[in-house]
Amino acid sequence: MTEATRTAWITGASSGIGAALARAYAGRGLRVILSGRNRTALEAVAAQCGTETLVLPFEAADFEAARAAADTAWDWSGGIDVLVNNAGISQRSLAIDTDFAVYQRMIDVDLLGPIALTQALLKRMAARGTGQIVMISSLAGKVGSPLRSAYCAAKHGLIGYADALRIELSAHGISVIGVTPGSIRTDVSRNAVTADGSRRGESDEAIDSGIDPDEFAARMLAAIDAGEREVAIAEHGMEQWIAQERRTPEVLFDKMIESFNAGYAAKMGVTAQ
């Protein structure tokens, strides 16, 4: 099968990582399906791709819509060769202040949404005996991070689902790749939800100085080409967090608590306990 007859479906494709991945797959000659909530933004990204595209908007937490979209996407392309579950939202709030509704929304969008879409395609992909499923999690999906308790819960769950799925699908010719980005220069922090579920509206220094999305996309695809089944892409020492968490979790826990308390105390003008 040539690249020109293969199809990549990217969710959360209207901006940031998703848009960069759409351009990257298109640059390899694949047909591209772009999904997200904003049709106008998706159409703008599609115009940048220079390949055959399908704009297929739906809300990630609308599981019935996801199943219907799976039928449409499969029929349009004659099959999905690469599914990239990238759609998601982040969080910036202390757990003690956060409404339970925020946890429900985060789990729906960041965990159950990707699972619903993947499940809608699994039998058909297995019957074809080929394909890739890519789960865009986060460094926060491997290492707990403050102000992101709901986000961490969802992204840890996504990695667990990917790990189990990889084993089950190994006999069907389908590879499953878990991707854990660190700080990527996108609007993820601006679009993050706060304690009451409202949009944060401001970015973080770490995000603003992060990796360019197009560079991230190139590095991710190169790692997948190299056969990596879990791809960590981060800078500023963050890529070492995962390795340290695996080797010495107690040291990492203490280091992160110390760092957070120092930063939180300075910002809030309180004495950390």
Side-chain angles (χ1 to χ4, degrees):
M1 184 181 292
T2 66
E3 295 287 54
T5 61
R6 299 178 70 229
T7 301
W9 186 5
I10 300 101
T11 67
S14 60
S15 64
I17 288 175
L21 287 171
R23 292 189 292 266
Y25 280 109
R28 292 185 165 206
L30 278 74
R31 295 174 296 183
V32 177
I33 301 173
L34 304 98
S35 289
R37 292 180 297 173
N38 187 327
R39 176 180 287 276
T40 300
L42 292 171
E43 289 174 345
V45 176
Q48 301 167 7
C49 288
T51 190
E52 189 177 0
T53 60
L54 172 66
V55 171
L56 188 57
F58 69 94
E59 165 60 53
D62 186 339
F63 309 136
E64 289 298 328
R67 284 188 280 271
D71 292 338
T72 300
W74 193 272
D75 291 343
W76 177 78
S77 61
I80 303 300
D81 300 284
V82 182
L83 172 65
V84 183
N85 283 299
N86 169 69
I89 52 174
S90 191
Q91 170 203 11
R92 297 294 186 275
S93 60
L94 293 170
I96 198 168
D97 298 326
T98 303
D99 292 344
F100 182 67
V102 170
Y103 286 88
Q104 292 179 307
R105 182 182 177 197
M106 199 72 56
I107 294 297
D108 281 349
V109 174
D110 288 7
L111 178 57
L112 294 181
I115 290 176
L117 188 59
T118 302
Q119 291 292 139
L121 293 173
L122 273 189
K123 289 184 178 179
R124 285 175 280 197
M125 292 183 75
R128 291 179 83 207
T130 184
Q132 286 183 349
I133 299 172
V134 182
M135 302 292 188
I136 306 295
S137 178
S138 169
L139 192 66
K142 300 293 288 186
V143 178
S145 184
L147 303 177
R148 298 161 178 81
S149 55
Y151 183 68
C152 288
K155 291 298 189 178
H156 271 71
L158 193 59
I159 287 294
Y161 174 69
D163 287 348
L165 202 61
R166 182 182 303 115
I167 299 166
E168 294 183 11
L169 295 180
S170 60
H172 295 280
I174 301 172
S175 57
V176 179
I177 300 99
V179 183
T180 56
S183 294
I184 313 298
R185 199 158 61 244
T186 69
D187 285 332
V188 64
S189 185
R190 291 185 183 87
N191 293 332
V193 296
T194 60
D196 62 0
S198 59
R199 182 177 180 271
R200 185 181 189 226
E202 62 180 283
S203 192
D204 297 325
E205 181 179 349
I207 296 295
D208 292 340
S209 62
I211 300 169
D212 178 80
D214 290 305
E215 178 187 344
F216 167 85
R219 288 168 62 175
M220 187 193 94
L221 292 186
I224 292 174
D225 288 345
E228 294 185 29
R229 290 174 289 185
E230 187 167 282
V231 179
I233 300 175
E235 291 182 348
H236 309 303
M238 287 191 294
E239 69 277 7
Q240 300 303 316
W241 291 4
I242 293 175
Q244 185 170 352
E245 189 271 341
R246 289 171 174 164
R247 292 194 307 267
T248 55
E250 293 297 328
V251 172
L252 179 64
F253 296 158
D254 288 342
K255 184 177 294 187
M256 292 191 71
I257 289 170
E258 179 183 356
S259 175
F260 174 65
N261 280 342
Y264 183 71
K267 182 176 181 179
M268 304 302 294
V270 299
T271 301
Q273 300 298 313

